[in-house]
Amino acid sequence: MMFRWLIVIVIVAIIEFYSFQAFKTVTKEKWILTIYQLLSLLIIIFIAYQFTKFDRAVGQTKMTLITLGLMLLVLLPKIVLTLILLLEDIVRVLSGTVTLLTGSKSDSFLPERRKFVSQVALGLASIPFMGLVYGMAVGKYNFKVIRQTLFFPDLPDAFEGFKVTQISDIHSGSFDNEEKIKYAIDLINEQEADLLLFTGDIVNAKADEMHPWIDIFNGLKKYEYGKYSILGNHDYGAYLDWKSQKAKAENFEAIKDLHRQIDFKLLLNENIKLKKGNDEIALIGVENWGKHFGEYGDIDKAADNLSATDFKILMSHDPSHWEYIVKRHSKNIQLTLSGHTHGMQFGIEIPGYFKWSIAQYMYKQWAGLYQEFGKYIYVNRGFGFHAYPGRVGIMPEITVFELKKGNIVA
């Protein structure tokens, strides 16, 4: 543990050294440099103190969100400065070595830092800084409605044009703006859908996080074919230290009951049939199954009474379930709806052209629509936020699917 802290201290010292060099190169005003040093020191002390105060029996709090937001706000820009100035130092060392070997006269082995390089570095560092500020001030509640038309050759005729709205990853313990959440509920209600599905993570860890928001979520309108939900990895209380197993179990039961309190039917490794006219489709809901976050879901149990020819929609929180099990499952799950990744709440997305996030290095399916083996999975980018109190590039999402009969579009 001590060795880890030593590594962290060394890395922070290097980052702070290079960041200061950038400011020192572009200004000689001592009072500006002094203020910068004092401010940096105070921020480091504050962040370090808050980390020592973190209590796994309490979990994420408003102060935790502030601390993580501040840490990213100062750390990412300084990492940009460090990388650019470190590259400049490599060039300076190479230049000095050439000068030394060629016998050229020079007052110093290392050439002076160039003001232009530091100015460019500060300019580039301002991009993540402004992005993170935007993400915390605006992005986290910048809800987007994304519409998808999905084609299935075996869709029952009566369900032609059937519309499904999906939300995921509410993370109610992170909310801090009642008006913005009311706006999002109104936005969901405006979508003319037949069915509303919620694919897990109603809280960060504790049932009481949702209590202030129950009345607002009860503002969701009635749907002709109902409102259904499943559990996500955060709904099991696995990331907290509990006083006893009994306390953890009671919290889990309370979290499951939250779904009833906001008028959702929670599906726990089971399925129900949605009937329209003379046709029906099966809605399957499994508990969380994640390659790295708990394997509670049981697709075999949930689909036990279904056949491969039944049309099925599966709600499974973690998209790794689809990758490792569902897409090759013998019951032929035509459509899987997931969430979980949040798109890391940070990335670059130009719809229809370009999509990037760190999430793609951890999940093969991390945001949006994917198709393989004649089956679809859609990964919702999430309704709420967790850890970092913002969203940059990857916005909170409400998805509306229209089901159509026809050949699957690759």
Side-chain angles (χ1 to χ4, degrees):
M1 180 64 73
M2 190 65 184
F3 181 69
R4 289 179 182 176
W5 276 109
L6 183 61
I7 292 175
V8 170
I9 291 170
V10 170
I11 291 173
V12 169
I14 292 171
I15 290 172
E16 288 299 326
F17 169 77
Y18 275 105
S19 299
F20 180 70
Q21 293 303 308
F23 281 93
K24 187 178 178 182
T25 303
V26 298
T27 180
K28 303 300 180 184
E29 296 289 344
K30 288 187 177 181
W31 68 272
I32 294 178
L33 297 175
T34 300
I35 290 175
Y36 169 80
Q37 288 176 306
L38 285 174
L39 190 60
S40 293
L41 180 61
L42 288 173
I43 290 172
I44 290 171
I45 291 172
F46 172 80
I47 292 172
Y49 174 74
Q50 290 300 328
F51 268 94
T52 64
K53 296 290 288 183
F54 181 75
D55 186 351
R56 276 187 57 87
V58 176
Q60 179 177 283
T61 64
K62 302 300 182 188
M63 185 54 70
T64 308
L65 285 169
I66 291 170
T67 302
L68 289 171
L70 181 62
M71 184 178 74
L72 288 172
L73 195 60
V74 298
L75 185 62
L76 287 185
K78 287 185 176 183
I79 288 175
V80 173
L81 291 175
T82 299
L83 291 175
I84 295 174
L85 266 66
L86 187 59
L87 181 61
E88 184 191 21
D89 273 354
I90 293 173
V91 173
R92 290 169 69 208
V93 169
L94 291 174
S95 177
T97 302
V98 170
T99 299
L100 186 66
L101 292 176
T102 57
S104 302
K105 293 183 178 180
S106 177
D107 294 333
S108 173
F109 172 71
L110 291 177
E112 287 189 5
R113 290 192 181 280
R114 290 179 292 175
K115 186 176 181 179
F116 172 73
V117 173
S118 292
Q119 288 173 329
V120 170
L122 287 167
L124 292 175
S126 70
I127 297 173
F129 179 83
M130 295 304 296
L132 288 164
V133 169
Y134 170 85
M136 290 186 283
V138 179
K140 64 184 178 182
Y141 294 125
N142 188 16
F143 295 96
K144 301 295 183 185
V145 176
I146 297 179
R147 303 180 190 280
Q148 294 280 343
T149 301
L150 304 180
F151 292 89
F152 302 91
D154 54 349
L155 180 72
D157 292 340
F159 286 87
E160 173 73 21
F162 191 79
K163 290 187 178 179
V164 180
T165 295
Q166 180 200 11
I167 58 173
S168 192
D169 300 86
I170 288 174
H171 287 284
S172 54
S174 300
F175 294 157
D176 57 9
N177 191 317
E178 185 176 305
E179 291 305 311
K180 294 294 185 181
I181 302 304
K182 286 180 178 178
Y183 164 76
I185 296 300
D186 290 340
L187 200 57
I188 295 170
N189 286 337
E190 288 173 8
Q191 311 312 311
E192 296 298 324
D194 301 292
L195 174 70
L196 178 60
L197 303 179
F198 165 50
T199 46
D201 279 358
I202 196 169
V203 294
N204 294 331
K206 292 185 174 181
D208 59 12
E209 296 168 9
M210 185 64 181
H211 291 170
W213 309 99
I214 287 175
D215 287 345
I216 294 176
F217 276 84
N218 272 321
L220 287 167
K221 70 179 185 179
K222 300 287 184 180
Y223 284 74
E224 183 177 355
Y225 291 86
K227 295 184 282 190
Y228 295 90
S229 58
I230 57 170
L231 298 172
N233 57 301
H234 281 268
D235 297 323
Y236 293 83
Y239 307 115
L240 295 186
D241 292 333
W242 296 91
K243 292 180 180 179
S244 65
Q245 282 300 313
K246 180 183 177 183
K248 183 179 180 181
E250 288 174 347
N251 180 70
F252 184 49
E253 292 303 314
I255 285 173
K256 288 191 286 187
D257 191 57
L258 289 173
H259 296 254
R260 177 194 62 80
Q261 293 180 54
I262 60 172
D263 196 31
F264 276 76
K265 167 63 177 172
L266 180 64
L267 298 180
L268 299 166
N269 295 323
E270 57 187 309
N271 71 79
I272 57 99
K273 297 286 184 66
L274 303 177
K275 298 182 183 297
K276 187 176 184 183
N278 295 322
D279 293 325
E280 63 182 22
I281 63 175
L283 178 64
I284 308 170
V286 295
E287 292 193 53
N288 185 70
W289 192 103
K291 189 64 176 176
H292 307 291
F293 295 97
E295 299 179 4
Y296 307 101
D298 188 338
I299 186 64
D300 294 324
K301 177 183 177 183
D304 181 55
N305 62 324
L306 302 176
S307 71
T309 57
D310 290 326
F311 188 89
K312 296 166 288 293
I313 299 175
L314 169 67
M315 293 190 292
S316 181
H317 178 72
D318 190 320
S320 66
H321 191 203
W322 190 81
E323 176 61 23
Y324 287 95
I325 293 178
V326 174
K327 72 181 183 182
R328 296 181 181 88
H329 198 275
S330 60
K331 288 295 177 75
N332 183 36
I333 312 296
Q334 289 93 334
L335 173 61
T336 300
L337 302 181
S338 297
H340 180 62
T341 71
H342 302 204
M344 288 296 286
Q345 297 169 210
F346 189 95
I348 302 170
E349 191 164 11
I350 304 172
Y353 294 96
F354 182 76
K355 185 171 64 175
W356 175 89
S357 168
I358 298 171
Q360 70 189 62
Y361 305 112
M362 294 176 276
Y363 293 91
K364 187 175 179 180
Q365 298 82 28
W366 61 276
L369 185 67
Y370 303 83
Q371 186 267 128
E372 196 172 347
F373 300 133
K375 304 174 181 70
Y376 288 117
I377 181 174
Y378 190 89
V379 185
N380 185 285
R381 294 159 181 82
F383 182 92
F385 51 91
H386 180 65
Y388 166 58
R391 283 179 175 267
V392 181
I394 309 294
M395 297 307 168
E397 175 180 357
I398 297 160
T399 321
V400 181
F401 302 96
E402 183 175 8
L403 310 185
K404 304 285 283 185
K405 197 169 181 85
N407 293 324
I408 288 178
V409 179

